């Protein structure tokens, strides 16, 4: 069987965001495993306007084509006011079928590890027919980031990231058979 394609979705578009650092770290862990094709998918690259404000057919099509090419996801989620970012919610809403019957892991960060954002995301993913996995690396702004801006994860997070990736790959492979 060919390797699964797993998109690492950067869930923030804010200037000065740290999600690219976290995403690259998760990708490097995945690449060392060699068990799937991992790629960073930055929602900022798709320039999605607020849903319904203007005609965004071109951006929405590109976004949906990218999502359709992936077998599973790892969401890099920062906590904004006890939830996910508006940009991530908007990107989730721009697709429907491209999310269906795929698996996702969540890596969150914030003052309480981004736990509240992860829980909000789980509810949204359920509505989109995405199976979210249980293992959830939660990173603290206080202990895993130097000056709240330079990502320096504690070694203990590697166990959770690898466990999460194991689950994402298992579920993504199983769900691929449903989509085919």
């Amino acid at each position: 069987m060919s390797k699964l394609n797993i998109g690492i979705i950067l869930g923030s578009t804010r200037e000065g965001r740290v999600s690219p650092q976290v995403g690259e770290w998760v990708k490097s862990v995945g690449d060392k495993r060699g068990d799937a094709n991992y790629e960073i998918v930055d929602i900022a690259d798709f320039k999605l306007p607020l849903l319904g404000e203007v005609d965004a057919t071109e951006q929405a099509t590109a976004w949906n084509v990218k999502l359709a090419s992936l077998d599973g996801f790892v969401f890099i989620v920062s906590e904004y006011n006890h939830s996910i970012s508006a940009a991530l919610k908007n990107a989730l809403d721009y697709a429907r079928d491209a999310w269906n019957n795929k698996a996702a892991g969540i890596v969150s960060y914030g003052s309480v590890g981004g736990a509240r954002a992860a829980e909000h995301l789980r509810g949204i993913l359920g509505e989109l027919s995405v199976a979210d996995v249980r293992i959830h690396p939660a990173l603290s702004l206080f202990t895993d980031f130097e000056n709240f801006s330079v990502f320096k994860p504690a070694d203990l997070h590697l166990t959770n990231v690898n466990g999460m990736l194991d689950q994402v790959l298992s579920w993504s492979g199983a769900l691929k058979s449903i989509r085919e």
Side-chain angles (χ1 to χ4, degrees):
M1 181 159 92
S2 62
K3 288 184 179 180
L4 295 170
N5 298 311
I6 306 298
I8 300 168
I9 311 273
L10 303 184
S12 174
T13 59
R14 187 181 67 157
E15 182 136 352
R17 64 196 171 138
V18 296
S19 60
Q21 295 175 63
V22 178
E24 287 296 338
W25 174 69
V26 171
K27 183 179 184 313
S28 72
V29 172
D31 287 346
K32 286 177 189 164
R33 295 163 52 104
D35 53 3
N37 301 313
Y38 297 94
E39 75 173 284
I40 301 289
V41 179
D42 190 345
I43 60 176
D45 293 341
F46 292 86
K47 309 276 190 252
L48 296 166
L50 286 178
L51 186 65
E53 280 196 342
V54 297
D55 178 27
T57 303
E58 185 178 330
Q59 298 98 316
T61 299
W63 177 238
N64 278 268
V65 166
K66 170 46 70 185
L67 296 175
S69 74
L70 300 168
D71 299 304
F73 313 99
V74 173
F75 287 90
I76 309 300
V77 182
S78 51
E79 187 168 309
Y80 289 83
N81 296 321
H82 293 215
S83 191
I84 63 174
S85 70
L88 177 56
K89 178 62 168 89
N90 192 55
L92 288 162
D93 289 345
Y94 259 101
R96 182 69 187 176
D97 294 340
W99 296 117
N100 293 172
N101 296 316
K102 296 182 181 178
I106 300 169
V107 177
S108 64
Y109 60 92
S111 61
V112 291
R116 298 168 294 208
E119 287 306 309
H120 279 207
L121 180 57
R122 287 180 194 285
I124 297 164
L125 293 177
E127 181 60 25
L128 296 171
S129 297
V130 176
D132 60 285
V133 302
R134 185 187 68 77
I135 297 177
H136 163 211
L139 308 166
S140 171
L141 283 175
F142 302 108
T143 59
D144 295 307
F145 294 86
E146 185 176 281
N147 297 319
F148 304 103
S149 61
V150 178
F151 183 51
K152 294 190 174 185
D155 290 340
L156 63 92
H157 294 300
L158 284 174
T159 300
N160 282 340
V161 170
N162 278 301
M164 176 202 59
L165 292 175
D166 288 343
Q167 290 181 339
V168 168
L169 292 180
S170 292
W171 281 91
S172 294
L175 289 168
K176 187 172 184 172
S177 66
I178 292 171
R179 294 190 317 275
E180 291 177 343

